[in-house]
Amino acid sequence: MKKAVFLFFIALAGQASSAFAASVVPDGLFDYRAVLSSDIFTKDEMELLYSSGAVTSDEIAREFLWTQLLAMPSEKRPKVGLVLSGGGARGFAHVGVLDVLRVNGFPVDMIAGTSMGAVVGSMYAAGMPIKTLWQIGNKATLDIASDDMNTFGIIRLLTTETLFSSQRMGAFLNEKIGEKNFSDLKIPFACVAMDIKTGERVVFTDGDVGLAVRASMNLPGVFKPVEYRHRYLVDGGVADNAPVDVARDMGADWVFTSLIRTNYTRTSFGSIYSYLMQALDIRGHMLVDESLKNSNFILVPQLGEVGFLDFSKATRAGQLGLEEAFRNIDAAKDSLMLFSMGPILNDYTRK
């Protein structure tokens, strides 16, 4: 088996290779060079491998361990939870993050999202191709959530204090993924809203997906609360903008969080919306830090040029999310592999 793996990678012109073993040093990092002292390959084999000039010891160990992890039956490896925070138009960065995870075969066993993270997460959980998510970003506008998002609607909001309806968001989602219940989704999914009367967090794990996601991104002060089981629900970002503990409750052993942060010093208040959105965003992030302590890996896309309501830049947000995820994907792999070392070794030794 070992010889076959070795010869296969050499035949690929040394573009990649694999070796078995990795040790953990006191600071908790992989010591990939411990592979060199193992008996996986002979000295001549290792010299031939390095003479190709295409791989390093780190790459050899990482590639092999990652391959072993992905080859494990899902019931034997740690369950991976993906948390997608809110963030308005900036939340389209999650699409780029999902794209990088997909290309690298990163396992996603469950998704928990809030606000825009719930929108993106629900569509991905329903099986929507990444290509389609990018296309939605290309066409995104502010009125995606409501028919009232126009000049007359804004005047009515300011003069009569009549809140907008967010029914269009539910209809949009049902159009894209069909009228689905949570049990119909291909990946287990949950999203978070808040009861505006009590301040309680409300977690959706069953029922109508469209209604749940609509409630999760239902901005208070802009949209009418969504009435559900005697509750009046608004955007979950106010109560739990990064629902890490929800992913844990779903059964996640290891959690990857894609977190949208805002550089408030760069915000310009061009409208009442931008003022209100920043106030809500600040409130959400004041509560999120405690939740993040329970996440194994946190990715924060750098989105300085994209504002909370800049839906015309949704695709740009996705691109920036992709770039940040690409820069950090090896670190995420290392974290998951280190966490999974016991199951990987047990699975390998049984083969």
Side-chain angles (χ1 to χ4, degrees), residues 18-41 56-69 333-346 348-349:
S18 58
F20 176 74
S23 62
V24 181
V25 294
D27 60 5
L29 301 175
F30 281 125
D31 181 5
Y32 291 114
R33 287 165 180 75
V35 175
L36 302 182
S37 63
S38 70
D39 60 358
I40 299 303
F41 295 137
T56 66
S57 59
D58 284 8
E59 292 168 337
I60 293 170
R62 178 183 291 118
E63 181 67 23
F64 182 80
L65 290 170
W66 187 246
T67 300
Q68 291 300 307
L69 176 63
K333 287 181 177 180
D334 287 356
S335 175
L336 179 55
M337 287 188 290
L338 179 59
F339 185 89
S340 308
M341 186 59 64
I344 292 175
L345 294 175
N346 290 336
Y348 185 86
T349 56

Side-chain angles (χ1 to χ4, degrees), residues 175-213:
E175 175 189 338
K176 296 301 180 183
I177 68 174
E179 296 183 6
K180 295 185 182 297
N181 287 325
F182 280 76
S183 58
D184 300 323
L185 300 177
K186 296 182 178 181
I187 301 174
F189 171 73
C191 63
V192 174
M194 185 187 78
D195 187 332
I196 194 65
K197 283 192 170 183
T198 65
E200 292 178 293
R201 185 185 71 171
V202 177
V203 178
F204 285 92
T205 58
D206 58 21
D208 182 356
V209 175
L211 183 146
V213 173

Side-chain angles (χ1 to χ4, degrees), residues 190-305:
C191 63
V192 174
M194 185 187 78
D195 187 332
I196 194 65
K197 283 192 170 183
T198 65
E200 292 178 293
R201 185 185 71 171
V202 177
V203 178
F204 285 92
T205 58
D206 58 21
D208 182 356
V209 175
L211 183 146
V213 173
R214 176 188 161 203
S216 184
M217 56 73 58
N218 202 54
L219 295 171
V222 177
F223 298 118
K224 299 175 184 176
V226 174
E227 295 186 40
Y228 176 75
R229 296 181 181 176
H230 307 294
R231 290 181 178 271
Y232 293 83
L233 304 179
V234 298
D235 195 301
V238 183
D240 192 353
N241 199 42
V244 175
D245 61 331
V246 173
R248 295 288 186 187
D249 291 341
M250 295 172 72
D253 301 306
W254 187 92
V255 176
F256 182 114
T257 299
S258 178
L259 178 69
I260 307 303
R261 292 278 196 190
T262 300
N263 183 352
Y264 302 113
T265 62
R266 300 182 61 171
T267 301
S268 59
F269 299 113
S271 69
I272 188 174
Y273 286 122
S274 60
Y275 181 86
L276 179 59
M277 293 311 101
Q278 174 147 326
L280 295 174
D281 204 30
I282 292 173
R283 170 64 176 168
H285 283 297
M286 288 175 63
L287 300 174
V288 79
D289 291 338
E290 187 65 28
S291 178
L292 292 176
K293 294 178 181 179
N294 205 23
S295 182
N296 299 89
F297 192 86
I298 303 167
L299 182 77
V300 184
Q302 302 303 304
L303 305 168
E305 67 185 76

